[in-house]
């Protein structure tokens, strides 16, 4: 029997009547939709775009899935679902296939193309950006675009792509942005509304599964907060900095009847992972993710638990794990399995333990994810990359340290990072509560930990910056002035000066009106704008003459002569004889007044920050110097070389385009071209040298030297134009890529690369992306060489895909 009041029942009945699609969709779900999910769905049913910001695991994707439901409920509408990572795209592709059938769902991730003309297509955000610039026919009938993990817009390397898509999508497309809880969601939503029209912002701070916070000290879990969940546990405060997981006595405190530790004298100890797993297992807190901010640390943790004899699986579970592992890795070649550490890895999986990090072979990572989701693997040691959207919720998340290496130094994690990491704890529909466990180390302050756990400050800041590729695409599609207006509409500029976006939008609307006025004043007898200009000049002079009664005789005579000349020019002009002259003239006046106001607005934009547009201007100046863009009568157009650059993406777009134009790579064979492409995408870690080691012999070295000299010349040119430039070419992986393209065995290639298999696969896939661009943009023999190079590189573990 319902406990709702009559008023609540009435409101629910009215909502069902007003939003029938939402109601039908909600009834089909396995659980009742939360208020924020219903709000998001109803916004879409009203015809708005929506930005939904909610904690990890709260079920934001339901709103995105409702957009797909709306598209499929129509006769022809399409929906695209974009994600920042191929792994996420693969996962969503499989989920949507189960709902709508394999024939209706496609996948596009750069290196995978499945059913791309389906009505629902899952893709990485870059693929959609490239489609928009290419004017792809796949955009026809597109009604909804779901942008999952839209907070990636802040990513320093790839974030600009999200802004490009949001700005350039046709206005008829409704956008669904799904974001982690960010503290400036309203500002971000305001910007989307400014560039795309009606957008509703739905923010939820409520976790669907409450989170219990603990401290792990000397083998016991101590509640971080008191019974009310508001103040720091007094027992922890009494212990203060110095509480350790090392030796020392303990006494029973108020921490929910659990043992609480008195601080020993001396330093803090390292986490005994085996004991920690046993503790979590005893208290029914598995499955758990242990976040360790280093790949080596993750691998070492697996070895430690193996040596400690930890096993958290039943015989039946081990049998199921063996079956799934065999099925998912059957495509891998036998000679590669030993090199990849397959046998040890699979035995660890059978014990219910695994590592998860970027160095792991993608095929292995996917198996770990699947086994964890099926509750077969119970403990995963992971780097923070796992926190970025992959569906791997756990009952418990353990943070071994509250600091990590940020590329330069060890720094404390932010409250936003803490929220993102602990957001994995608590599985909706399975757990009553999730658990976050912080391992105590010497010197830790309980109040600082509590502050980290309770704050929700995670601002979203734009990382947008114009590129050469973006510039040529914008100029080609919109012309230079309109391109500047588009850049003025970016979130980067919005944050720099919110008013500029509103002004730029007003200018854009005014320009559309000006085009209409021009059309309305068009005269079949001649140039009416010219005629209207003469009339206006005459009218202005007549006004001045009436006002300036004290003017000298000489000035009065000068004006009289000029007015007579203008009258004569007016009467001689062909448009003076037009029967609709005065009707055209009224439109001409409207055009003049709006043009004057628009020019004033442009000057206002120019005097404001304008940082993004200024960067664009500098990029265009470089493109003019190199003859990619031609300026004639103040208009910017692309040259043939500029048109070629439209299809070259990436940080080295200009270097690749210039190398092709100067024919620096025409003498290369397929393996050497793969090695050189690898030099352009590879970025060594700070701890790697990147430029040392042997290089492939023959024409490769000459081509590399020539490309390196070209890079230096371009870098000088960019510095002259106050542009940041790019990092030097890194040939550290060239020899290994050359060997791989020549068909050498995996163990020899990985030995030459001196890196994990997962890293090698990642750089190889980026090499493939660049070779693919070269194969489509280059001409003649080089295009054929690039295609052969692609075939040579796309083999073995690189070609493997679980989809």
């Amino acid at each position: 029997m319902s406990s709702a009041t009559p008023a609540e029942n009435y409101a629910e009945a009215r909502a069902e009547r007003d939003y029938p699609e939402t109601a039908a969709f909600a009834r089909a779900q396995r659980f009742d939709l939360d208020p924020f999910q219903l709000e998001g769905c109803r916004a879409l049913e009203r015809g708005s775009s929506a930005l939904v910001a909610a904690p990890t695991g709260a079920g934001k994707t339901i709103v995105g899935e409702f957009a797909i439901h709306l598209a499929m409920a129509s006769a022809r509408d399409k929906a695209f679902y974009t994600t920042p990572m191929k792994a996420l795209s693969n996962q969503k592709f499989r989920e949507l296939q189960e709902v709508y059938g394999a024939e209706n769902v496609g996948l596009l991730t750069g290196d995978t193309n499945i059913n791309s003309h389906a009505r629902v297509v899952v893709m990485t955000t870059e693929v959609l950006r490239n489609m928009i610039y290419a004017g792809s026919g796949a955009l026809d009938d597109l009604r909804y675009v779901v942008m999952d993990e839209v907070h990636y817009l802040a990513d320093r390397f790839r974030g600009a792509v999200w802004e490009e898509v949001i700005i350039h999508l046709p206005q008829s497309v409704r956008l669904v942005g799904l974001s982690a809880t960010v503290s400036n969601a309203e500002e971000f939503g305001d910007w989307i509304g400014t560039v795309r029209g009606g957008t509703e912002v739905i923010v939820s701070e409520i976790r669907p599964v409450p989170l219990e916070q603990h401290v792990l000290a000397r083998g016991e879990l101590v509640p971080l907060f008191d019974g009310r969940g508001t103040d720091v546990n007094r027992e922890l405060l009494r212990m203060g900095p110095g509480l350790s997981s090392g030796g020392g006595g303990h006494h029973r405190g108020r921490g929910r009847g659990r043992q609480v530790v008195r601080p020993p004298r001396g330093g803090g100890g390292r986490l005994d992972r085996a004991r920690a797993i046993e503790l979590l297992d005893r208290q029914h807190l598995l499955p758990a993710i242990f976040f360790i901010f280093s790949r080596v640390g993750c691998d070492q943790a697996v070895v430690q638990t193996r040596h400690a004899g930890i096993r958290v699986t039943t015989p039946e579970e081990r049998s199921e794990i063996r079956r799934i592992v065999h099925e998912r890795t059957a495509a891998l070649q036998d000679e590669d399995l030993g090199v990849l550490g397959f046998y040890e890895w699979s035995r660890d999986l059978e014990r219910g333990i695994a590592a998860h990090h970027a160095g792991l072979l993608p095929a292995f990572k996917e198996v770990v994810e699947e086994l964890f989701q099926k509750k077969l693997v119970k403990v995963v040691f992971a780097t923070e990359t796992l926190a970025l959207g992959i569906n791997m919720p756990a009952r418990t998340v353990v943070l071994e340290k509250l600091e990590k290496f940020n590329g330069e130094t060890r720094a404390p994690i932010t409250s936003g990072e803490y929220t993102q990491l602990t957001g994995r704890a608590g599985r909706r529909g399975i757990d009553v509560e999730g658990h976050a466990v912080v391992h105590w180390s010497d010197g830790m302050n309980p109040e600082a930990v509590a502050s980290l756990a309770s704050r929700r400050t995670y601002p979203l800041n734009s990382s947008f910056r114009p590129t050469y590729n973006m510039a040529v695409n914008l100029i080609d599609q919109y012309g230079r002035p309109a391109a500047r207006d588009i850049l003025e509409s970016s979130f980067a500029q919005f944050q720099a000066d919110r008013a500029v976006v509103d002004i730029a939008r007003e200018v854009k609307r005014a320009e559309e009106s000006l085009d209409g006025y021009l059309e309305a004043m068009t005269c079949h007898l001649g140039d009416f704008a010219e005629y209207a200009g003469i009339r206006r000049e005459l009218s202005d002079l007549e006004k001045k003459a009436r006002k300036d009664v004290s003017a000298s005789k000489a000035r009065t005579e000068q004006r009289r002569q000029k007015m007579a000349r203008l009258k004569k020019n007016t009467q001689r002009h062909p448009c003076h004889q037009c029967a609709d002259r005065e009707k055209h003239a009224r439109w001409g006046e409207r055009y003049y007044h709006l043009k004057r106001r628009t020019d004033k607005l442009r000057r206002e934009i120019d005097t404001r920050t304008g940082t993004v547009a200024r960067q664009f201007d500098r990029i265009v100046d470089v493109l003019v110097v190199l003859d990619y863009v031609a300026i004639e009568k103040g208009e910017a157009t692309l040259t043939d070389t500029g048109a070629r650059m439209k299809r070259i993406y990436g940080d080295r777009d200009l270097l690749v385009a210039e190398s092709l134009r100067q024919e620096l790579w025409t003498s290369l064979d397929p393996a050497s071209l793969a090695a050189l492409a690898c030099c352009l995408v590879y970025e060594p870690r700070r701890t790697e040298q990147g430029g040392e080691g042997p290089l492939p012999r023959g024409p490769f070295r000459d081509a590399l030297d020539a490309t390196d000299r070209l890079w230096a010349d371009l870098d000088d040119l960019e510095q002259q134009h106050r542009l940041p430039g790019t990092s030097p070419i890194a040939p550290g992986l060239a020899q290994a890529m050359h060997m791989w393209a020549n068909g050498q065995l995996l163990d020899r290639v990985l030995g030459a690369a001196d890196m994990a298999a997962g890293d090698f696969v990642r750089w190889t896939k980026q090499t493939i992306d660049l070779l693919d661009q070269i194969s489509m943009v280059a001409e003649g023999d080089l295009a054929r060489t690039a295609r052969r190079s692609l075939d040579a590189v796309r083999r073995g573990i690189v070609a493997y895909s679980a989809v």
Side-chain angles (χ1 to χ4, degrees), residues 21-97:
E21 288 291 345
T22 299
F25 179 74
R27 282 194 295 271
Q29 303 309 305
R30 296 190 308 277
F31 47 83
D32 291 341
L33 296 193
D34 291 335
F36 87 90
Q37 293 170 324
L38 289 168
E39 197 181 337
C41 293
R42 288 167 184 165
L44 294 179
E45 195 166 354
R46 281 192 292 272
S48 296
S49 291
L51 171 66
V52 183
T56 304
K60 299 181 285 289
T61 54
I62 280 286
V63 183
E65 287 162 14
F66 180 66
I68 294 169
H69 167 83
L70 287 177
M72 293 302 285
S74 72
R76 300 181 50 165
D77 287 350
K78 289 184 189 171
F80 288 172
Y81 196 108
T82 76
T83 79
M85 292 179 289
K86 291 175 184 177
L88 267 177
S89 294
N90 294 344
Q91 185 176 303
K92 203 71 208 173
F93 170 66
R94 287 189 290 264
E95 288 174 8
L96 291 171
Q97 274 189 321

Side-chain angles (χ1 to χ4, degrees), residues 129-163:
R129 186 270 314 269
N130 298 353
M131 270 188 191
I132 292 169
Y133 279 161
S136 168
L139 299 172
D140 296 344
D141 299 319
L142 179 61
R143 180 64 177 155
Y144 297 97
V145 166
V146 182
M147 300 188 83
D148 204 352
E149 307 287 330
V150 75
H151 50 272
Y152 253 83
L153 181 139
D155 184 80
R156 189 160 58 95
F157 300 104
R158 300 170 57 208
V161 176
W162 275 255
E163 289 192 47

Side-chain angles (χ1 to χ4, degrees), residues 33 78 85 91 145 173 183 229 356 412 454 463 487 538 630 658 767:
L33 296 193
K78 289 184 189 171
M85 292 179 289
Q91 185 176 303
V145 166
V173 175
S183 51
H356 188 288
S454 56
S463 60
L487 295 171
L538 176 59
E658 272 296 277
T767 301

Side-chain angles (χ1 to χ4, degrees), residues 578-603:
C578 180
D580 292 326
R581 182 184 70 200
E582 293 311 309
K583 183 181 171 186
H584 292 330
R586 284 193 293 275
W587 285 110
E589 279 303 302
R590 291 178 191 176
Y591 179 88
Y592 168 70
H593 289 301
L594 184 57
K595 177 83 165 60
R596 194 166 58 179
R597 171 165 168 69
T598 306
D599 289 344
K600 186 182 175 186
L601 289 173
R602 284 188 180 285
R603 287 193 296 274

